[in-house]
Amino acid sequence: MRVLLLSFEYLPVKVGGLAEAVTSIAEGLAKLGHEVVVFTPDHGRNLGSPVKNFRIASFGETLEVAVRKREEKGVAVYSLGGGLLSEEDVYGPNWEGLLKKAVIFGKASAALLNLLIRDLKPDVVHAHDWHTVFALGLIRKYFGIRSVFTVHRLNKAKIPAHYFHEANLGELAPYPDIDPEHTACYIADMVTTVSRSYMLEEWGFFGMFEGKVTHVFNGIDCTFWNEELLETSDLPREERRRLILEKFGLSDGKAFMFIGRFDRAQKGVDVLLRAIELLSNDPAFGDMRFLIVGKGDPELETWSRAIEKRFPENVRVITKLLPRETVRELYGSVDFVVVPSYFEPFGLVQLEAMCLGAIPIGSAVGGLKDTIIDFRSDPEGGTGFLVPPGDAFALANAMILAKNLDEKTLRKLRENGRKRARDEFKWENACRRYVDVYTGSVDRAMSFLL
Ligand code: NHF
């Protein structure tokens, strides 16, 4: 079948996990033999060769849209540039600018499809996250194509109705403030989100679309996140850990890593910082090492720097953006990866870690709960540890427990993790399920099915 994907992020343009997910879905569908076309804003990257120029009316002005096209791993990627579509800040320049960018992307996408429709009528249009609501709405309105909307993370923001009017979608905006996620789900034929637990945690929202809502787990690309590709693959794991810690000026010890955005709402680096403060009073702390990789909220950066200063023998904070290959070396060397998210629709870190033999200690929420099997509830099949979200005590306890495990148990956890990531969270499985979503032959969430 021919699938048109709409997304604000597509690799190499990456802000968060959305880029990885949409690119993997596109490439995975192509591998299954489907024809895949992607529309995405160019964000000033000028990727691909120019193929089309046209003009649209928008916000009282005439905008020249310049479309570039590239073929990548069997996927035709059209990037739409001009005006705000060429703004380098993917989700900017500010909230209003982003809303305008989303409207312009919508109109430009519908206009581009209008030019391509004779040769390229999609069987299904699959839109990702709320920024594509205008594009989805217009493509549905003009072409009536079957549509699927995927929520990678609920944003829960409202948009003034005039943006819908400007997008020629006034019929979708009868009230002054509109929830774009609700609108996108409302107009789509099928709604998906990226884990079953996230769907259930947010049932207050997803339940409104019962009958057409289901989950499709994301996957993980274990060909990249692969121990054999490590620069130090020939060394035993403890030696790799010693070398990595040495690189950061730390002596050897059990190594715990956090990697992610420093934000207050989702990723929970503050929970880890509190857990480290608690652990500092425990005798076990002496041989615990913490690598904290990420950046974001300046207050959290200051807090983590303060922790690093207080515990110079134990903590290193790395606020530089690291290349994926370096991150792979880290996963392949540390003992544990801590994922203390308050909520996590799917979360890729825990699976990247599992592919590379780092044992995840994560919050029992969303995709973390669906991918990590807690060692305490299943000593045979466990792949890591689950703790209640926001609970620094529970996290500190789990870290002590993990630190004290014997080598044999650690090996088992690693092996189980690798196997689970590789076998059960393949992108191929996700893509096969998306095809079922496209054709309607997929199970739906039913609140009365016990
Ligand atoms: O993995 C891709 C990603 C998820 O949990 C992640 C999130 C945003 O918050 O689906 O989207």
Side-chain angles (χ1 to χ4, degrees):
M1 70 196 315
R2 186 182 285 138
V3 185
L4 169 61
L5 299 184
L6 305 171
S7 172
F8 252 48
E9 290 182 44
Y10 194 85
L11 286 176
V13 176
K14 172 182 162 83
V15 178
L18 180 65
E20 304 267 348
V22 177
T23 310
S24 300
I25 293 166
E27 291 173 0
L29 287 168
K31 254 195 221 153
L32 291 178
H34 300 285
E35 189 181 337
V36 186
V37 177
V38 176
F39 287 1
T40 187
D42 183 65
H43 303 299
R45 306 306 199 271
N46 294 332
L47 294 167
S49 325
V51 281
K52 282 207 186 313
N53 280 293
F54 54 84
R55 288 182 303 160
I56 55 168
S58 149
F59 295 97
E61 290 175 358
T62 301
L63 178 75
E64 185 82 29
V65 178
V67 182
R68 292 172 169 268
K69 184 184 173 197
R70 62 190 197 271
E71 293 275 345
E72 257 168 23
K73 301 200 182 159
V75 179
V77 186
Y78 290 81
S79 48
L80 286 62
L84 277 171
L85 293 175
S86 296
E87 161 63 46
E88 280 186 23
D89 180 354
V90 174
Y91 298 112
N94 47 42
W95 177 241
E96 258 186 35
L98 172 59
L99 295 180
K100 281 187 169 172
K101 192 173 184 177
V103 170
I104 295 170
F105 178 63
K107 285 177 158 176
S109 296
L112 176 60
L113 189 58
N114 209 28
L115 296 173
L116 301 175
I117 194 78
R118 285 188 120 250
D119 302 320
L120 215 82
K121 184 170 187 282
D123 299 301
V124 64
V125 50
H126 183 180
H128 297 264
D129 274 358
W130 71 266
H131 323 92
T132 59
V133 62
F134 303 109
L136 181 70
L138 286 169
I139 289 175
R140 254 208 91 90
K141 175 167 172 168
Y142 287 94
F143 303 103
I145 296 167
R146 182 172 168 81
S147 54
V148 175
F149 182 66
T150 292
V151 174
H152 290 262
R153 176 191 199 267
L154 282 171
N155 180 62
K156 303 185 180 177
K158 293 270 171 68
I159 294 184
H162 70 84
Y163 288 100
F164 280 85
H165 290 273
E166 177 58 42
N168 219 21
L169 289 168
E171 67 278 17
L172 296 178
Y175 307 110
D177 291 311
I178 304 299
D179 171 349
E181 282 148 349
H182 182 282
T183 309
C185 293
Y186 182 75
I187 58 180
D189 295 294
M190 287 292 292
V191 172
T192 74
T193 192
V194 290
S195 71
R196 187 165 184 276
S197 288
Y198 186 62
M199 178 182 71
L200 298 179
E201 283 159 19
E202 294 289 353
W203 192 245
F205 175 83
F206 289 112
M208 288 189 279
F209 310 102
E210 188 165 354
K212 60 176 180 178
V213 66
T214 192
H215 71 277
V216 180
F217 287 122
N218 280 341
I220 183 74
D221 177 7
C222 281
T223 56
F224 178 84
W225 301 107
N226 188 327
E227 229 164 332
E228 280 162 27
L229 300 179
L230 295 177
E231 273 170 27
T232 47
S233 61
D234 48 332
L235 297 178
R237 195 172 183 103
E238 309 81 69
E239 186 56 15
R240 297 206 290 255
R241 179 186 72 196
R242 200 188 56 74
L243 287 173
I244 284 278
L245 290 174
E246 193 179 80
K247 219 171 170 172
F248 290 107
L250 292 171
S251 61
D252 196 24
K254 286 278 170 183
F256 297 78
M257 176 168 82
F258 167 93
I259 180 159
R261 217 172 39 243
F262 286 12
D263 72 340
R264 290 201 174 261
Q266 185 179 358
K267 297 293 176 186
V269 70
D270 51 318
V271 185
L272 173 63
L273 296 176
R274 277 188 280 127
I276 294 176
E277 283 174 339
L278 292 170
L279 283 166
S280 68
N281 299 315
D282 194 287
F285 192 61
D287 56 304
M288 291 170 95
R289 306 287 174 267
F290 303 89
L291 298 179
I292 303 178
V293 187
K295 55 193 213 165
D297 185 330
E299 272 181 36
L300 289 172
E301 282 190 25
T302 312
W303 183 4
S304 43
R305 288 274 174 227
I307 294 279
E308 180 183 43
K309 229 170 148 190
R310 255 176 80 195
F311 308 113
E313 315 274 279
N314 307 76
V315 181
R316 280 296 171 277
V317 178
I318 302 120
T319 49
K320 263 200 325 220
L321 262 188
L322 300 177
R324 284 170 103 213
E325 286 72 16
T326 311
V327 174
R328 184 168 62 194
E329 296 295 320
L330 292 175
Y331 283 133
S333 309
V334 299
D335 299 290
F336 305 100
V337 165
V338 183
V339 200
S341 306
Y342 288 99
F343 72 93
E344 197 61 75
F346 185 75
L348 293 169
V349 167
Q350 77 281 15
L351 282 178
E352 291 167 356
M354 276 154 69
C355 284
L356 280 145
I359 298 163
I361 304 176
S363 306
V365 291
L368 298 172
K369 194 162 141 191
D370 292 343
T371 50
I372 301 172
I373 300 173
D374 186 80
F375 167 72
R376 289 163 290 192
S377 43
D378 184 352
E380 267 313 295
T383 64
F385 297 86
L386 287 168
V387 293
D391 189 338
F393 275 102
L395 179 60
N397 278 334
M399 288 199 278
I400 293 185
L401 183 77
K403 176 203 164 281
N404 290 332
L405 290 177
D406 60 66
E407 227 1 87
K408 190 165 161 246
T409 312
L410 289 173
R411 258 205 310 277
K412 175 122 191 102
L413 280 164
R414 281 195 188 113
E415 221 15 78
N416 289 347
R418 268 195 212 103
K419 199 167 162 357
R420 183 160 167 80
R422 273 188 207 146
D423 298 350
E424 289 176 46
F425 293 94
K426 283 201 279 249
W427 276 112
E428 188 191 328
N429 298 356
C431 290
R432 287 193 191 280
R433 190 162 163 91
Y434 274 122
V435 174
D436 289 344
V437 170
Y438 300 157
T439 56
S441 38
V442 73
D443 54 281
R444 276 86 161 149
M446 281 182 190
S447 55
F448 52 86
L449 180 65
L450 301 175

